[in-house]
Amino acid sequence: MAYEHDHDQHGGTSHEHTRRHPLGEAPRHAHDHDHMDFGEMAGLLEQEAELFSPLYAEAAAWLREQRPGPGLLVDAGSGPGVVSCLLADAFPAARVVAVDSVDSLLERAYARAGRLGVADRFGTLRADLAEGLGGVEHPADLLWASRSLHHVGDQGAALAGFAGALAPGGVLALLEGGLPPRYLPRDFGVGRPGLQSRIDVVHDERFEGMRAGLPGAVAETEDWPALMAAAGLRHTASRTFLVDLPAPLSDEGRAFVVTALTRLRDTLADGLDPDDLATLGRLLDPRDEASVHHRPDVFVLTAHTVHVAVKPE
């Protein structure tokens, strides 16, 4: 995703075991209220997470220093499970539970775990993060939540739920914040310079509207360490990880930029200047030599921040 940052209870070994232990009748899709169908976005979610895997691997290596040898690792808001499986690889002794509200994403996560050979210690749980993680039968030693918290109306209450799901001494790793992505120079020779900065403004306004429209929305200053402390956790560190894929971009990177810009055009169209929409149209037209399909100056540069806090013993 360009900006957004998307069922066995205890890392069981069979998908059928998972399906026999559903978590109540949670909503089929936890994000209908913000008009984002994460099930339909599965391809984009996978595409981005796979391209950004070096960032997640670096973050996982850092987390091994913060919480070596966790027994149970929970990915809260796992989406299609790319990072869940990466964490399973980074913590080979851990049982991993991927938690999401969308069945189709959890199916993808479990299938990925099977392809990667970690299904014997990988489970999934369908749950709405706004309703807590009570379906995880045992306290987590490490809980990873990547760009999922900001889709919950009451983020403080959700953080309290995360804290309640941790074992004493357990670690919460919260990925929120960082820097918006850049794909092109400020002036790339088409349209008015500064396109992506103007997209940022429209995106931020849309994001604020999304937040305000969430059920039980509570306005919070995005001081994540303070919010973690208010949930009873002891903040220990924050670190920012860079995605720096310079030009000339790989075919995979170029395909991601096409997907990301297409989604921005489609979701922000009513807020963008007509001239900027026309510029995006040229950038996305494979017949146009000035498009991102062909131009040599396309890159990917962004940063994600991970905040770590510990539950007191």
Side-chain angles (χ1 to χ4, degrees), residues 56 59-64 66-67 73-77 83 87 91 133 140-149 159 162-163 166 169-176 224 228 233-239 241 305-311:
Y56 295 118
W62 181 59
L63 289 177
R64 283 199 298 269
Q66 312 296 315
R67 185 60 172 91
L73 190 160
V74 173
D75 183 357
V83 180
L87 292 171
F91 295 92
L133 296 173
D141 302 301
L142 176 60
L143 196 157
W144 168 265
S146 173
R147 296 184 297 175
S148 53
L149 183 64
L159 279 172
F162 290 171
L166 285 172
V171 167
L172 169 63
L174 181 69
L175 191 158
E176 290 285 353
W224 303 112
M228 296 165 102
L233 303 174
R234 179 172 55 85
H235 175 253
T236 59
S238 295
R239 182 171 167 183
F241 299 89
T305 302
V306 179
H307 309 278
V308 171
V310 177
K311 184 171 183 176

Side-chain angles (χ1 to χ4, degrees), residues 224-256:
W224 303 112
L227 289 170
M228 296 165 102
L233 303 174
R234 179 172 55 85
H235 175 253
T236 59
S238 295
R239 182 171 167 183
T240 297
F241 299 89
L242 189 67
V243 175
D244 182 9
L245 305 175
L249 205 54
S250 67
D251 290 343
E252 293 79 8
R254 192 177 295 272
F256 166 73

Side-chain angles (χ1 to χ4, degrees), residues 13 43 55 70 111 140 165 196 278-279 296-297 307 313:
T13 59
L55 177 152
Q196 288 200 260
T279 299
D297 57 354
H307 309 278
E313 297 277 0

Side-chain angles (χ1 to χ4, degrees), residues 35 50 118 128 158 179 207 255 285-286:
H35 311 295
E50 289 169 355
V118 297
D128 187 335
L179 295 173
F207 181 85
D285 184 353

Side-chain angles (χ1 to χ4, degrees), residues 7 15 19 102-112 124:
H7 307 204
H15 195 47
R19 302 293 286 177
V102 184
D103 284 335
S104 62
L105 294 179
L106 293 173
E107 296 285 350
R108 282 179 176 255
Y110 194 82
R112 177 178 289 268
T124 61

Side-chain angles (χ1 to χ4, degrees), residues 50-295:
E50 289 169 355
L51 189 67
F52 290 10
S53 286
L55 177 152
Y56 295 118
E58 187 179 357
W62 181 59
L63 289 177
R64 283 199 298 269
E65 301 172 6
Q66 312 296 315
R67 185 60 172 91
L72 177 62
L73 190 160
V74 173
D75 183 357
S78 63
V82 177
V83 180
S84 310
C85 290
L86 187 150
L87 292 171
D89 184 63
F91 295 92
R95 289 163 290 120
V96 176
V97 177
V99 180
D100 204 281
S101 64
V102 184
D103 284 335
S104 62
L105 294 179
L106 293 173
E107 296 285 350
R108 282 179 176 255
Y110 194 82
R112 177 178 289 268
R115 291 195 303 271
L116 296 178
V118 297
D120 61 332
R121 53 189 180 88
F122 190 98
T124 61
L125 171 68
R126 183 164 71 90
D128 187 335
L129 299 186
E131 298 175 2
L133 296 173
V136 178
E137 292 181 342
H138 300 272
D141 302 301
L142 176 60
L143 196 157
W144 168 265
S146 173
R147 296 184 297 175
S148 53
L149 183 64
H150 65 240
H151 289 289
V152 179
D154 190 338
Q155 296 172 109
L159 279 172
F162 290 171
L166 285 172
V171 167
L172 169 63
L174 181 69
L175 191 158
E176 290 285 353
L179 295 173
R182 288 291 180 267
Y183 308 125
L184 290 160
R186 185 192 68 87
D187 186 348
F188 51 87
V190 179
R192 186 159 55 100
L195 172 66
Q196 288 200 260
S197 294
R198 293 191 295 279
I199 288 175
D200 288 347
V201 173
V202 178
H203 173 268
D204 287 350
E205 291 175 350
R206 185 65 54 86
F207 181 85
E208 192 61 29
M210 180 277 291
R211 285 281 317 144
L214 292 170
V218 176
E220 295 278 12
T221 299
E222 292 178 353
D223 182 347
W224 303 112
L227 289 170
M228 296 165 102
L233 303 174
R234 179 172 55 85
H235 175 253
T236 59
S238 295
R239 182 171 167 183
T240 297
F241 299 89
L242 189 67
V243 175
D244 182 9
L245 305 175
L249 205 54
S250 67
D251 290 343
E252 293 79 8
R254 192 177 295 272
F256 166 73
V257 172
V258 171
T259 306
L261 288 179
T262 299
R263 176 161 177 79
L264 286 172
R265 180 195 61 187
D266 294 348
T267 58
L268 304 179
D270 58 353
L272 292 171
D273 181 274
D275 290 339
D276 286 340
L277 275 176
T279 299
L280 282 170
R282 287 199 63 187
L283 288 173
L284 293 169
D285 184 353
R287 300 165 299 179
D288 193 324
E289 287 301 316
S291 75
V292 293
H293 295 272
H294 306 294
R295 57 187 310 128

